[in-house]
Amino acid sequence: MKTKTAQQTAGRLPVAGIWPLAYADERLDALLSITGRMDGFLYRCRNDASYTMLYISDGILSISGYPPEEFFNNRVREYSSTIHPADLPTVYTTVDEALASRCNWNVDYRIVSRQGGSLWVREIGGGVFNDAGELVFLEGFVIDISDRKDVEELNTKLVEELRVANDELTAQKRELELAKQDSDHTANHDSLTGLPNRRAFQNKLKCAIDHSTTSNAAAALLFIDLDKFKEVNDSLGHAAGDDLLRKVSVRLQTILRSDDFVARVGGDEFAFLTFADLAQAPARAIQIARRIVDKLQFPITTSKGTIRVGCTVGIALCPSDATDPRELIALADRLMYVGKKSGRNRVVTRDDLLP
């Protein structure tokens, strides 16, 4: 008779004819002793329709509450009857896939005890094939992993709680950022027109002057005041005046280039900043100012007739006219009032002050 190789006998319980009887008894005693110390059990079953149980160790009693003799030859119950119904599909699929690929399976599932409770176990098993390559037995060992599962579930719960807490902190941080943005926007923008306000304008003007005095560029400040705005308020009320200011802000924004800036700095006063190189700045500023005068023409109908609203623009240049923010504002404002006294609806520069 051929001697079976170690590979052919691996994973099988000792059978007569392979080892000397005394050696086989010694290995069996050792196996039973080790099995008795496990928080689990060993098993071997046939590869038949009901997986008839040929051997199952005593550990099944401590795990399931059912004595091992009830499983032998499926006399009282099949082992699958102790597996939680919700876990059976996973067990069957895992075992079938492992058998198909001739490898071991490793699967966690719950066993329902005689008392009705359930505990988690981990089964590691494999198929036993004969010399013809036919699947004869399924065998493996099952250990109690309830404590480990409790720790895993606790860890999973803690991770989820941390995720939720992190999401809440992220949401709170986002809310704070949005609140800060809203606060910054409110602090730097006019609530009626949505344009930057005087505070934002002064910050922008300072930056513009700093840039102008350190580069070959000029900043032009256009100070704009509406003509006959008071007549609109007196004739039609403040609501009509507010509506007019909103329309003015929209038209001013249509003139803006990407690096231009416009702000509402007073009741019916607006400031427009534009930039160009030193040689082109005066002509550029006058060109934009005239476009503003053309754009801000509003015929307003009242019960007493039509009010023709327009605007007057004073232009001051940095660095040629002034390099101090207050001086530049004061000059642009004075030039604008010169235009008001000269008939309104016009553009005034420093050159217009010369005799």
Side-chain angles (χ1 to χ4, degrees), residues 253-261 272 274-276 284 288:
Q253 289 177 85
T254 65
I255 301 173
L256 289 172
R257 298 181 306 172
S258 60
D259 57 347
D260 291 340
F261 181 86
F272 195 108
T274 189
F275 306 90
R284 167 72 183 164
I288 292 177

Side-chain angles (χ1 to χ4, degrees), residues 64 66 71 77-84 110-113:
S64 71
Y66 298 109
F71 296 95
R77 70 189 74 256
E78 297 179 10
Y79 176 69
S80 61
S81 68
T82 67
I83 300 176
H84 195 291
R110 288 164 292 178
I111 284 182
V112 180
S113 70

Side-chain angles (χ1 to χ4, degrees), residues 155-334:
N155 286 340
T156 300
K157 182 181 178 182
L158 290 174
V159 168
E160 177 62 17
E161 289 176 351
L162 286 172
R163 185 192 65 78
V164 171
N166 185 64
D167 288 347
E168 291 176 351
L169 286 173
T170 300
Q172 291 174 4
K173 181 180 177 182
R174 180 60 180 160
E175 288 176 2
L176 288 173
E177 289 174 350
L178 291 173
K180 184 179 182 301
Q181 290 174 10
D182 289 343
S183 176
D184 290 344
H185 187 274
T186 300
N188 291 285
H189 287 78
D190 174 49
S191 60
L192 177 64
T193 65
L195 290 178
N197 58 17
R198 177 178 287 273
R199 174 185 176 182
F201 160 69
Q202 289 174 335
N203 290 333
K204 182 69 175 180
L205 179 62
K206 184 178 184 304
C207 292
I209 291 175
D210 289 343
H211 176 71
S212 177
T213 54
T214 57
S215 65
N216 188 36
L221 170 59
L222 283 60
F223 216 76
I224 306 160
D225 189 84
L226 296 183
D227 299 330
K228 300 186 178 180
F229 177 74
K230 185 175 182 301
E231 293 181 30
V232 174
N233 272 340
D234 292 344
S235 301
L236 300 176
H238 290 287
D242 289 347
D243 183 60
L244 175 59
L245 291 173
R246 283 190 286 265
K247 290 178 180 177
V248 167
S249 70
V250 170
R251 292 196 183 182
L252 286 174
Q253 289 177 85
T254 65
I255 301 173
L256 289 172
R257 298 181 306 172
S258 60
D259 57 347
D260 291 340
F261 181 86
V262 65
R264 182 188 177 201
V265 294
D268 62 339
E269 293 178 337
F270 297 82
F272 195 108
L273 281 170
T274 189
F275 306 90
D277 62 46
L278 290 173
Q280 296 176 343
R284 167 72 183 164
I286 292 172
Q287 180 186 33
I288 292 177
R290 287 173 177 167
R291 287 187 62 196
I292 290 172
V293 170
D294 290 340
K295 281 276 189 181
L296 301 190
Q297 300 296 314
F298 295 91
I300 307 294
T301 303
T302 71
S303 59
K304 297 181 180 179
T306 300
I307 301 174
R308 298 196 176 277
V309 176
C311 72
T312 300
V313 182
I315 300 175
L317 299 174
C318 174
S320 59
D321 291 336
T323 57
D324 179 80
R326 287 175 295 182
E327 291 179 5
L328 200 68
I329 293 172
L331 176 59
D333 186 51
R334 182 160 66 89

Side-chain angles (χ1 to χ4, degrees), residues 24-217:
D25 287 345
E26 182 181 338
R27 287 179 65 92
L28 180 59
D29 287 344
L31 181 61
L32 293 175
S33 175
I34 293 170
T35 303
R37 299 173 188 275
M38 290 175 57
D39 289 329
F41 57 90
L42 302 175
Y43 75 88
R44 170 179 274 192
C45 64
R46 287 197 183 97
N47 178 38
D48 55 23
S50 56
Y51 298 106
T52 302
M53 191 65 69
L54 298 178
Y55 172 78
I56 192 165
S57 63
D58 292 342
I60 186 65
L61 177 62
S62 62
I63 285 182
S64 71
Y66 298 109
E69 55 268 20
E70 292 190 6
F71 296 95
F72 291 148
N73 294 313
N74 296 4
R75 187 176 66 190
V76 176
R77 70 189 74 256
E78 297 179 10
Y79 176 69
S80 61
S81 68
T82 67
I83 300 176
H84 195 291
D87 298 339
L88 269 173
T90 300
V91 174
Y92 284 141
T93 299
T94 304
V95 172
D96 288 345
E97 290 176 352
L99 290 172
S101 58
R102 296 292 187 96
C103 64
N104 292 339
W105 60 80
N106 187 324
V107 60
D108 296 349
Y109 56 87
R110 288 164 292 178
I111 284 182
V112 180
S113 70
R114 170 175 265 166
Q115 293 75 25
S118 64
L119 56 83
W120 281 95
V121 297
R122 175 165 296 162
E123 178 179 329
I124 301 174
V128 179
F129 298 84
N130 62 19
D131 292 339
E134 298 168 331
L135 179 64
V136 182
F137 305 117
L138 284 75
E139 62 185 16
F141 62 92
V142 179
I143 56 173
D144 181 355
I145 59 167
S146 296
D147 291 343
R148 190 182 312 171
K149 275 290 181 180
D150 288 343
V151 172
E152 289 176 359
E153 290 175 359
L154 179 59
N155 286 340
T156 300
K157 182 181 178 182
L158 290 174
V159 168
E160 177 62 17
E161 289 176 351
L162 286 172
R163 185 192 65 78
V164 171
N166 185 64
D167 288 347
E168 291 176 351
L169 286 173
T170 300
Q172 291 174 4
K173 181 180 177 182
R174 180 60 180 160
E175 288 176 2
L176 288 173
E177 289 174 350
L178 291 173
K180 184 179 182 301
Q181 290 174 10
D182 289 343
S183 176
D184 290 344
H185 187 274
T186 300
N188 291 285
H189 287 78
D190 174 49
S191 60
L192 177 64
T193 65
L195 290 178
N197 58 17
R198 177 178 287 273
R199 174 185 176 182
F201 160 69
Q202 289 174 335
N203 290 333
K204 182 69 175 180
L205 179 62
K206 184 178 184 304
C207 292
I209 291 175
D210 289 343
H211 176 71
S212 177
T213 54
T214 57
S215 65
N216 188 36

